[in-house]
Amino acid sequence: MPDTRSGDVIPLRTATKAWFLISLQTFGGPAGQIAVMQRTLVEEKRWIGRQRFLHALNYCMLLPGPEAQQLAIYVGWLLNGRRGGLIAGTLFVLPGMLALLALSAIYVAFGDTTAVNALFAGIAPAVVAIVAQAVFRVGKRALHHPALVAIAAGAFAALALFAVPFPVVIAAAAAVGWVLGRFAPGVTEPRGGHGGADDGPAPLIADDALHHERPSARRAAAVLGVGLVVWAAPVVAVALLTGIGSTLTAQGLFFSGTAVITFGGAYAVLAYVAQRAVEVYGWLSAGDMVRGLALAESTPGPLIMVVQFVAFLGAYHHPGGLDPWAAGVLGALLTTWVTFVPCFLFILLGAPYVERLRHNRALSAALTGITAAVVGVIANLALYFALNTLFHATAVHHFGPLRLALPDLSTFRPVQAVITAVALVLVLGVRWSMPRVLIACAGLGVVAALVGLPVA
């Protein structure tokens, strides 16, 4: 029974145990993570109604950052207030953070060995296929009108051909979506419903229930003030300890910025992260970036956790006056902090208002525009990974306003090309699960190395 004195819908210890078990099952990207929460919280435990759950999800999809983790924070807040939100959001990312930190260290220590090269010769092509699958999945759901297809194509062209900054692309897509929603509302109206009656016993949080914590200016100011201080404090501390121009300070500032522009999920922002981390800051190579995504795909938690890998390698290679290993760990932890703390701020600040905002056509239309653009953004990411997986070298060529990244055809990698073709068949044709595809392709890379084929 709900504890009306504490505001807990269920005992906090019971909720904590449930969130920990959910955190161990969060493989397969946001769709799989949301499915795990819906099955556990909506269908099995009956803690929250289906439409209530979807309403929370709709808000999280409007926000930058990993929507699955934000949904966990939101539902945790509904069940146990702020304590519940903090616990749910922290547990959601903790297993993946620890696993990827260990994998990053292993990669730095043993990444140049023949065995590791063989594994990644298979895993990198699998990543290309997985990102290509994301293009089809998101496109099938989002591009239900020619105008939305045009937004996706425009986003792809802006990024791949003209090097338009990612935030500009997202802002333009939101504006176009808003205009379409106002003057051609049929374009941005979603097709179909959420489907499925919510059968079974009445949930503890009914679909029409409102949370007891009401919005107010005083509450919003307190949450915003504390949240901003908690978010910024580690960055300020690192800047004071290592200097304004250090790699660690640059990482804290850069990933704080990406945390507020990651609309559309991790795939949408990774092209921007890869471009800046590889070409501007020189923290890692394009090949390292592909391998980092493969490692992040194989661990639980949000895929955006790959930025931890980026930061680890960047700080390790540019440690300043610190020990490289200490710098790598500090960079990884700092980046994880500034990436995920904003999620708590967005939810705890906005959730009480969203509780009383069931429908907002303008926001929905803007989100539709962003979602359409995300298809083009992910397609650009797939192109980026494909070029850097299938060829040893690429070069940027300028033709007036055009900026094209073209491969050096003499550096073609036939082994990776064959494994990419196999991975595409397994992902798009046979529809194997992501872990199964990664294991199979890694095995093909090892076989290629054993028979003497070039895999580096």
Side-chain angles (χ1 to χ4, degrees), residues 30 61-65 67 131-143 147-159 166-174 177 261-272 365-383:
M61 290 180 65
L62 285 169
L63 298 173
E67 64 266 30
V131 178
Q133 181 192 45
V135 175
F136 286 105
R137 280 185 171 179
V138 179
K140 184 177 180 181
R141 183 180 72 246
L143 306 182
L148 301 178
V149 176
I151 294 176
F156 176 81
L159 292 167
F166 174 77
V168 175
V169 173
I170 293 299
I261 61 170
T262 51
F263 293 95
Y267 286 124
V269 78
L270 282 181
Y272 171 67
L367 176 62
T368 299
I370 292 174
T371 304
V374 162
V375 180
V377 174
I378 300 174
N380 178 60
L381 179 68
L383 175 64

Side-chain angles (χ1 to χ4, degrees), residues 201-272:
L204 294 181
I205 301 177
D207 287 336
D208 58 350
L210 292 178
H211 196 272
H212 64 84
E213 191 171 8
R214 300 185 64 84
S216 68
R218 181 177 179 181
R219 178 195 177 279
V223 172
L224 183 62
V226 172
L228 291 176
V229 169
V230 171
W231 184 2
V235 182
V236 173
V238 163
L240 292 174
L241 291 172
T242 65
I244 301 241
S246 71
T247 295
L248 290 173
T249 303
Q251 289 179 343
L253 294 174
F254 173 68
F255 289 112
S256 291
T258 59
V260 299
I261 61 170
T262 51
F263 293 95
Y267 286 124
V269 78
L270 282 181
Y272 171 67

Side-chain angles (χ1 to χ4, degrees), residues 132-427:
Q133 181 192 45
V135 175
F136 286 105
R137 280 185 171 179
V138 179
K140 184 177 180 181
R141 183 180 72 246
L143 306 182
H144 54 79
H145 191 279
L148 301 178
V149 176
I151 294 176
F156 176 81
L159 292 167
L161 304 180
F162 298 98
V164 177
F166 174 77
V168 175
V169 173
I170 293 299
V176 173
W178 179 84
V179 171
L180 288 173
R182 178 159 187 174
F183 297 103
V187 173
T188 57
E189 289 292 334
R191 292 189 304 177
H194 296 297
D198 195 5
D199 301 323
L204 294 181
I205 301 177
D207 287 336
D208 58 350
L210 292 178
H211 196 272
H212 64 84
E213 191 171 8
R214 300 185 64 84
S216 68
R218 181 177 179 181
R219 178 195 177 279
V223 172
L224 183 62
V226 172
L228 291 176
V229 169
V230 171
W231 184 2
V235 182
V236 173
V238 163
L240 292 174
L241 291 172
T242 65
I244 301 241
S246 71
T247 295
L248 290 173
T249 303
Q251 289 179 343
L253 294 174
F254 173 68
F255 289 112
S256 291
T258 59
V260 299
I261 61 170
T262 51
F263 293 95
Y267 286 124
V269 78
L270 282 181
Y272 171 67
V273 170
Q275 182 215 8
R276 302 288 293 179
V278 174
E279 300 175 12
V280 177
Y281 293 108
W283 290 335
L284 73 174
S285 69
D288 289 331
M289 188 72 200
V290 177
R291 294 176 175 190
L293 183 61
L295 293 177
E297 291 272 17
S298 65
T299 57
L303 184 59
I304 195 62
M305 190 69 75
V306 69
V307 298
Q308 175 184 292
F309 175 87
V310 173
F312 188 101
L313 264 65
Y316 179 89
H317 293 314
H318 307 280
L322 299 176
D323 175 79
W325 287 103
V329 172
L330 185 57
L333 295 178
L334 175 65
T335 295
T336 301
W337 182 271
V338 300
T339 297
F340 291 103
V341 164
C343 297
F344 294 93
L345 176 59
F346 296 149
I347 296 300
L348 297 180
L349 180 64
Y353 296 94
V354 176
E355 285 292 286
R356 287 148 181 87
L357 183 65
R358 293 296 183 184
H359 302 284
N360 186 303
R361 292 181 179 272
L363 285 176
S364 178
L367 176 62
T368 299
I370 292 174
T371 304
V374 162
V375 180
V377 174
I378 300 174
N380 178 60
L381 179 68
L383 175 64
Y384 178 88
F385 283 161
L387 289 176
N388 288 283
T389 297
L390 302 180
F391 299 90
H392 276 289
T394 61
V396 176
H397 299 271
H398 295 271
F399 305 93
L402 293 179
R403 179 184 179 276
L404 299 179
L406 300 176
D408 180 349
L409 298 181
S410 65
T411 64
F412 180 66
R413 294 168 163 168
V415 171
Q416 282 84 344
V418 171
I419 298 177
T420 299
V422 172
L424 287 169
V425 171
L426 294 178
V427 169

